[in-house]
Amino acid sequence: MTVVLAVLGVLLLAVACWVLRGVLLIRKAKRLEAEIATLNARTEAAEADEQARKAAAVVALGFVAEADLDTDHPAPVPAERRTVLEAARSGDWEAAAAYVEAAGQDWQERLERVRPLAEAAAEDDAWLLAWRAARPTDPTAALVNADTSVMVAWNVRGSQSGRRTTQEQFRLFRQLLTKAEADAHEAQRLAAPADPCPYVVEQAIAMGLGYSHERYWELWEQITERAPRVLWSHVAGLQYWCAKWRGSHDLAMEYARASAAAGKPGDLLTLLPLMAYFERETHEAGLLPETYYKEPEIVAAVDAALADLAAAGDAHPGTPRMRHMLAYLLFWQDRDAEAVEQFRHVDGHIGAVPWTYAGEPKRRYLYARDWAVNVTAADA
């Protein structure tokens, strides 16, 4: 009996020691976890401080602070446009009509003026309805109406991928696009024979409704027979030919190169290959921008776009969009000084591709801008 009790005592002591050792190890592990958490917090705080320091240094060099970045527009809104939009919203459709008609046969500028009016009418179309009632055969009113119908449809669909869009959204989207198609055809009937704009408006409808390639080419011929080098029409066409819509990477690139080849210096159609490369990099997860954009053909495409931009100057309505894309690609090509030059022109207004393709456009923009600025400042 004594032996049994002794053995039990030894076993109990061993168990107690094991439990105690476990408790001590748990306490030690908790202390280590706390120390690691403290170190991580200090590291994160140091990194945040360093990031804030670098951001402040960039702002000190004349660049816009994060809080002041405009994510809605690619460039400052002209004062005349702001005045016209305010007048239209208050019911003065005649100001809107005069504003669009003042563009004359500068088709790119006409489209640039129609779109903000359509965006305003998509929110409240009372002034547009009054315009159409007063001038039922006015081609300008019909054009704004068609583009408004397109905007309403796309607002319903939203900007999310197909997997994140509900079946009800898709149903309403197609229903509204069918109405927009009829409105576009009406605008085409009323338009002057040389006016490509109502056909350009139909491009977004073709993409959404899924026109066949043959039907799309027929629409494209209607546009290019009237105006072969309108930047907006080429950009809209690229979206149709992208893999995410009705084409493929190869078709998009073929289209983009044909557009660039058709342009004259200053038309900015060299933007199209840059956008095609960007669309592919965005679509294919395996492509690394830090290596992909350094491929010789993309470097050559950027150089061609820089020459085209120099010929266009700041008068072309597409210049801000070209500068945004160039800033992004030059950054990835480690051409930081050239990137900073573009950033200086567009800084403050980042409502453009490539920044708008990110869930956090400010974060994408600041990462590229601040890096390029800091590298350039260090090399100076």
Side-chain angles (χ1 to χ4, degrees), residues 81-93 116-117 119-121 123-124 126-127:
R81 182 171 301 169
R82 290 198 300 269
T83 300
V84 169
L85 287 171
E86 290 173 5
R89 292 188 181 104
S90 67
D92 185 2
W93 58 263
L117 289 170
E119 290 173 344
E123 297 175 0
D124 182 355
W127 59 273

Side-chain angles (χ1 to χ4, degrees), residues 242-245 249 277-287:
C242 280
K244 66 185 180 184
W245 283 106
H249 296 311
Y277 291 125
F278 173 74
E279 288 286 351
R280 182 176 182 184
E281 182 267 315
T282 301
H283 192 81
E284 294 187 4
L287 290 178

Side-chain angles (χ1 to χ4, degrees), residues 274-282 293 328 353-354 357 364:
L274 307 188
M275 295 188 70
Y277 291 125
F278 173 74
E279 288 286 351
R280 182 176 182 184
E281 182 267 315
T282 301
Y293 289 126
Y328 184 74
V353 178
Y357 270 40
R364 170 176 280 189

Side-chain angles (χ1 to χ4, degrees), residues 20 45 54 127 129 183 185 216 262 300 309:
L20 181 61
K54 289 182 177 179
W127 59 273
L129 292 174
D183 290 338
H185 290 168
Y216 190 85
L309 177 62

Side-chain angles (χ1 to χ4, degrees), residues 64-71 347-350 362 365-366 369:
V64 176
E66 178 179 0
D68 298 325
L69 291 173
D70 172 8
T71 58
D347 195 44
H349 300 83
I350 62 171
K362 286 186 178 183
Y365 178 79
L366 291 170
R369 185 200 70 181

Side-chain angles (χ1 to χ4, degrees), residues 8-294:
L8 286 173
V10 170
L11 289 174
L12 289 172
L13 180 60
V15 170
C17 289
W18 181 80
V19 171
L20 181 61
R21 182 173 182 273
V23 170
L24 292 174
L25 287 173
I26 291 171
R27 290 179 178 176
K28 184 176 182 180
K30 287 183 177 180
R31 284 199 302 271
L32 286 173
E33 287 177 1
E35 290 174 4
I36 290 171
T38 300
L39 288 172
N40 286 338
R42 289 174 181 172
T43 300
E44 290 174 3
E47 290 175 350
D49 289 343
E50 178 64 10
Q51 185 176 358
R53 184 191 67 77
K54 289 182 177 179
V58 171
V59 172
L61 291 172
F63 291 88
V64 176
E66 178 179 0
D68 298 325
L69 291 173
D70 172 8
T71 58
D72 294 326
H73 307 98
V77 178
E80 181 186 14
R81 182 171 301 169
R82 290 198 300 269
T83 300
V84 169
L85 287 171
E86 290 173 5
R89 292 188 181 104
S90 67
D92 185 2
W93 58 263
E94 291 177 312
Y99 178 64
V100 177
E101 290 160 6
Q105 293 193 350
D106 183 340
W107 306 122
Q108 177 72 31
E109 181 61 28
R110 183 173 172 85
L111 289 164
E112 294 281 348
R113 294 179 180 216
V114 165
R115 176 49 57 88
L117 289 170
E119 290 173 344
E123 297 175 0
D124 182 355
D125 64 352
W127 59 273
L128 177 56
L129 292 174
W131 183 3
R132 299 222 70 200
R135 298 181 184 174
T137 60
D138 184 345
T140 303
L143 176 63
V144 174
N145 180 64
D147 203 33
T148 299
S149 295
V150 172
M151 292 300 302
V152 170
W154 283 93
N155 287 346
V156 166
R157 187 205 180 279
S159 59
Q160 295 291 337
S161 66
R163 289 175 297 178
R164 298 181 180 180
T165 305
T166 68
Q167 289 302 310
E168 179 63 11
Q169 282 177 292
F170 276 125
R171 187 189 68 79
L172 288 173
F173 176 56
R174 291 191 63 84
Q175 179 180 322
L176 291 167
L177 274 187
T178 300
K179 175 188 180 298
E181 184 180 26
D183 290 338
H185 290 168
E186 179 191 18
Q188 291 161 13
R189 289 192 297 271
L190 294 173
D195 185 358
C197 296
Y199 299 91
V200 175
V201 166
E202 191 177 351
Q203 287 179 282
I205 300 167
M207 186 170 67
L209 290 181
Y211 285 14
S212 68
H213 291 180
E214 293 74 18
R215 186 179 177 189
Y216 190 85
W217 280 125
E218 291 174 2
L219 173 62
W220 184 242
E221 287 175 3
Q222 293 285 351
I223 296 169
T224 54
E225 284 175 0
R226 291 167 169 81
R229 300 191 305 277
V230 175
L231 178 61
W232 195 330
S233 66
H234 286 265
V235 171
L238 180 66
Q239 290 301 304
Y240 174 89
W241 291 110
C242 280
K244 66 185 180 184
W245 283 106
R246 307 303 173 183
S248 66
H249 296 311
D250 290 341
L251 287 172
M253 184 53 66
E254 180 183 353
Y255 169 87
R257 287 171 177 156
S259 292
K264 295 181 179 179
D267 286 336
L268 298 185
L269 292 181
T270 53
L271 173 62
L272 273 296
L274 307 188
M275 295 188 70
Y277 291 125
F278 173 74
E279 288 286 351
R280 182 176 182 184
E281 182 267 315
T282 301
H283 192 81
E284 294 187 4
L287 290 178
L288 300 176
E290 58 267 32
T291 55
Y292 173 66
Y293 289 126
K294 292 187 179 76

